Amino acid sequence: MKFSEEEIQNWKCETCGEGLVMRKVEFSYMKGSFHAELPACPKCGLVLITEELAMGKMAEAEKALEDK
Amino acid sequence: MNEAVAKPWSTESLCPVCLKRISAERVIDGQEVWLVKSCPEHGETRTVLWRGEPDLPGWQRPKIPSQPPVCFTEPQFGCPYDCGLCSNHGQHSCSALFEITSRCNMNCPVCFADSGSSAESDPSLDTIETWLKSVRRACGDHIVIQLSGGEPTVREDLPDIIRMVRAEGFGFVQVNTNGLRLSGDPAYAGQLQEAGLTSVFLQFDGTTDEVYRRLRGRTLLDEKVQAIENCMQSRLGVVLVPTLVPGLNQDDIGNILRFGMERAPGVRGVHFQPVSYFGRYPSAPDNTQRLTLPEIIRAIEQQTEELMKVEDFAPPGCEHSHCSFHGNFVVLDNGKVMPLSSQNATCCNKPSPAAEGAMKSTRFLTHQWAAPEIEMPPASKAGKEKCCDCSEPPSLDDFLNRIKTHTFAVSGMAFQDVWNVDLERTRNCCIHVVAPDGRLVPFCLYNLTSADGHPLYRGKSHADIAP
Ligand code: SF4
Ligand code: SF4
Ligand SMILES: [Zn+2]
């Protein structure tokens, strides 16, 4: 991800009002599971998936995991 | 099993004795599916087609037949006597196989190549050029060209032939070989690569010399390993091709896969071929001498300790569903693999045009079976205990890097012989042998022989083929 710790600190979790921190998050996607450092709320654990990630790397992974 | 599908499905086959076309039924009997057929003159035969899960009724990928864009013959005697391809055929070509010699540098008990004949009997370069031109006209230049034999490396002019294939515009050319010459001459792989070779289909029956002694009559493992190394040095993609014989090497399936993955990305995948029976057989080969596709798929799961699972494999999008299986994986840094394809692709079960499947399949194979386009990182440690956190999933970034190089294709094709041949399958076949006169003949039909060893196609002209 291209955001600095400071930058994401300024983003607040909508429910908790906490500043987000970078966290190692595990997620399953299609037939694979991955981990990535993503901004998350330290209190409720909610993960922010930016449009950049969704459109970029995750779309790339999706294409790779597709059947021929 | 669901009663509704436990009905026989009708198709057509051939009498093993007289090679006449006869009706046949695929009969479900418990966990097994049998091809049952009866010739009015020569009686009934029953041959096992499928044993166990994944069930045959669910193993479908329906296609709408696509007539070949150019047909070299017209229907005259009826299928399978009009190849071809004739206008009744249901699929385009995805691979064309050229037999460039019938000579061989080995003497395997399981093979019928003629190791005794001389170089003069090989097709000339002019003849091969004519074949190439007609194949390009009929199929386009996007297909897989496979140079086969005999053993193609016995021809001193193999590099010239490869250059000719490339000069005709074909992007992908593969040599089907036992690897002896590639192992013995370190410079040879480089010469073939420079000539334009993309990929090597390497006979690789097992990971012990015992397997080779029993199947090929001599020890061969060292030669195979050396051949693979030489190919990797020269950036030729290697596909391991085991012939699986019941009781002989079916327990080595997991080892073969691990052996291949340890050499990824140089080794691009494994293509299993259960044994089929050509030549002279006084009585039908015993059904215990047959290994069916689902048995191989289950063996893969068992013998890789579920590194690869049954559900990771799917029926083909190109050829008939009963012909093959495939699963694609990415070999991760920690020795695990991640499946890239799944049966989900078949769940909507909407028939799509066969030609679309053929196009997708050639695009996939010409990419997957060639060496990766970017610089190869050192071989991975698949199947080896290496790290302490093996259960940990890869990072998204690692995965995206890995996918560019370390994809690994596992597939299997059940070639047919006169006992189990299903004309619905051969009519929709995408792998075609170029006959000496340039006609294209589905691989299984080209090699098919009657029980007493008479060929249906090999060595015959169209007019001679009518039953
Ligand atoms: S297998 Fe195909 S090409 Fe051959 S006769 Fe049948 S339909 Fe025609
Ligand atoms: S070669 Fe035989 S097994 Fe393979 S696709 Fe053709 S008919 Fe099916
Ligand atoms: Zn008969």
Side-chain angles (χ1 to χ4, degrees):
Chain A
M1 301 296 302
K2 292 206 196 83
F3 307 104
S4 70
E5 288 281 336
E6 275 152 57
E7 238 177 309
I8 63 156
Q9 268 287 342
N10 295 329
W11 298 348
K12 303 272 182 264
C13 172
E14 263 193 40
T15 13
C16 313
E18 297 276 331
L20 302 189
V21 293
M22 287 307 269
R23 245 210 202 152
K24 187 162 163 188
V25 179
E26 234 179 70
F27 58 98
S28 301
Y29 198 61
M30 309 214 21
K31 290 205 99 199
S33 47
F34 308 98
H35 68 77
E37 294 275 326
L38 297 177
C41 169
K43 202 163 159 205
C44 72
L46 193 91
V47 177
L48 174 76
I49 296 192
T50 60
E51 195 181 336
E52 187 217 15
L53 180 72
M55 302 295 286
K57 289 181 182 173
M58 278 170 69
E60 215 183 303
E62 174 174 18
K63 211 173 130 242
L65 289 169
E66 258 177 21
D67 193 18
K68 73 160 164 159
Chain B
M1 191 171 295
N2 187 337
E3 273 304 306
V5 294
K7 278 185 295 181
W9 306 321
S10 303
T11 183
E12 289 176 307
S13 184
L14 297 173
C15 168
V17 179
C18 62
L19 295 182
K20 284 206 177 100
R21 182 180 57 236
I22 52 180
S23 62
E25 284 181 347
R26 307 179 192 109
V27 178
I28 298 178
D29 181 3
Q31 283 288 297
E32 297 178 340
V33 184
W34 294 74
L35 189 74
V36 180
K37 57 185 175 179
S38 178
C39 171
E41 238 179 290
H42 302 105
E44 187 184 90
T45 57
R46 301 169 68 88
T47 312
V48 70
L49 294 179
W50 203 267
R51 289 191 186 104
E53 307 211 316
D55 282 344
L56 188 62
W59 189 262
Q60 306 295 337
R61 203 149 158 187
K63 299 157 192 100
I64 303 156
S66 303
Q67 190 188 311
V70 177
C71 296
F72 290 147
T73 52
E74 270 313 308
Q76 186 182 348
F77 310 119
C79 184
Y81 312 111
D82 290 322
C83 312
L85 302 172
C86 78
S87 52
N88 288 333
H89 200 74
Q91 180 57 300
H92 295 191
S93 304
C94 125
S95 309
L97 197 137
F98 291 68
E99 293 191 340
I100 59 170
T101 182
S102 58
R103 294 177 292 138
C104 186
N105 50 5
M106 297 213 345
N107 228 326
C108 307
V110 293
C111 173
F112 298 91
D114 181 4
S115 46
S117 67
S118 69
E120 285 79 66
S121 60
D122 292 345
S124 70
L125 289 178
D126 286 347
T127 305
I128 295 172
E129 191 170 23
T130 318
W131 292 345
L132 282 166
K133 286 193 193 308
S134 79
V135 165
R136 198 183 60 170
R137 188 166 63 85
C139 319
D141 57 16
H142 62 284
I143 65 166
V144 169
I145 299 294
Q146 191 174 99
L147 303 178
S148 186
E151 169 55 44
T153 62
V154 302
R155 278 192 77 142
E156 287 311 316
D157 55 0
L158 181 59
D160 299 327
I161 297 173
I162 293 168
R163 269 187 285 273
M164 227 158 68
V165 177
R166 296 306 296 261
E168 277 306 320
F170 295 99
F172 185 93
V173 49
Q174 185 172 51
V175 162
N176 186 344
T177 177
N178 58 31
L180 275 188
R181 174 119 193 225
L182 281 163
S183 74
D185 177 356
Y188 190 59
Q191 287 160 17
L192 298 187
Q193 197 273 342
E194 272 158 37
L197 187 67
T198 346
S199 169
V200 169
F201 229 44
L202 180 70
Q203 289 158 28
F204 189 89
D205 305 312
T207 57
T208 65
D209 268 326
E210 179 57 19
V211 168
Y212 292 105
R213 228 178 276 122
R214 290 179 62 190
L215 195 57
R216 309 282 174 188
R218 53 166 287 190
T219 64
L220 278 171
L221 186 60
D222 289 346
E223 286 83 351
K224 302 284 180 189
V225 172
Q226 191 58 52
I228 293 167
E229 262 166 38
N230 293 348
C231 289
M232 282 164 67
Q233 287 287 338
S234 297
R235 297 185 53 74
L236 289 172
V238 178
V239 182
L240 305 181
V241 187
T243 300
L244 294 177
V245 183
L248 212 151
N249 57 353
Q250 82 200 85
D251 296 335
D252 210 20
I253 288 173
N255 295 331
I256 294 170
L257 288 167
R258 273 185 290 269
F259 177 98
M261 286 188 288
E262 277 164 22
R263 287 160 182 79
V267 172
R268 310 296 298 143
V270 178
H271 184 66
F272 293 103
Q273 299 180 339
V275 65
S276 47
Y277 295 93
F278 307 118
R280 182 193 286 269
Y281 283 86
S283 59
D286 200 274
N287 280 296
T288 59
Q289 289 306 304
R290 293 187 182 275
L291 201 58
T292 65
L293 295 181
E295 294 168 88
I296 300 173
I297 297 174
R298 293 200 306 276
I300 291 174
E301 174 171 304
Q302 283 155 12
Q303 294 177 30
T304 62
E305 276 99 35
E306 300 192 18
L307 203 59
M308 294 171 179
K309 298 203 182 65
V310 168
E311 70 203 43
D312 297 337
F313 294 93
C318 178
E319 59 271 14
H320 192 285
S321 311
H322 299 181
C323 286
S324 73
F325 68 82
H326 71 280
N328 303 311
F329 302 86
V330 55
V331 181
L332 301 173
D333 208 16
N334 63 6
K336 299 276 176 201
V337 301
M338 199 178 280
L340 298 179
S341 63
S342 76
Q343 253 166 330
N344 292 346
T346 67
C347 69
C348 57
N349 246 346
K350 241 187 27 225
S352 54
E356 224 169 73
M359 194 49 97
K360 269 193 180 167
S361 169
T362 23
R363 215 181 292 134
F364 173 79
L365 293 180
T366 51
H367 178 79
Q368 176 60 34
W369 283 351
E373 271 149 36
I374 63 175
E375 208 42 48
M376 287 197 231
S380 73
K381 300 284 187 301
K384 279 188 191 158
E385 251 48 66
K386 172 203 155 201
C387 58
C388 44
D389 55 353
C390 277
S391 54
E392 166 144 305
S395 80
L396 186 57
D397 289 325
D398 283 350
F399 171 77
L400 290 175
N401 266 331
R402 209 70 187 166
I403 194 91
K404 298 193 179 103
T405 50
H406 285 66
T407 48
F408 195 83
V410 179
S411 51
M413 179 168 281
F415 291 131
Q416 306 170 83
D417 52 43
V418 75
W419 287 278
N420 59 14
V421 66
D422 177 342
L423 298 182
E424 188 183 287
R425 285 172 59 186
T426 49
R427 194 153 47 237
N428 293 292
C429 175
C430 58
I431 300 179
H432 303 136
V433 180
V434 186
D437 60 4
R439 282 171 302 147
L440 294 170
V441 183
F443 181 89
C444 287
L445 292 177
Y446 194 75
N447 287 300
L448 190 130
T449 57
S450 68
D452 66 359
H454 284 95
L456 174 67
Y457 269 99
R458 189 183 287 281
K460 290 182 168 179
S461 68
H462 188 190
D464 289 341
I465 284 156

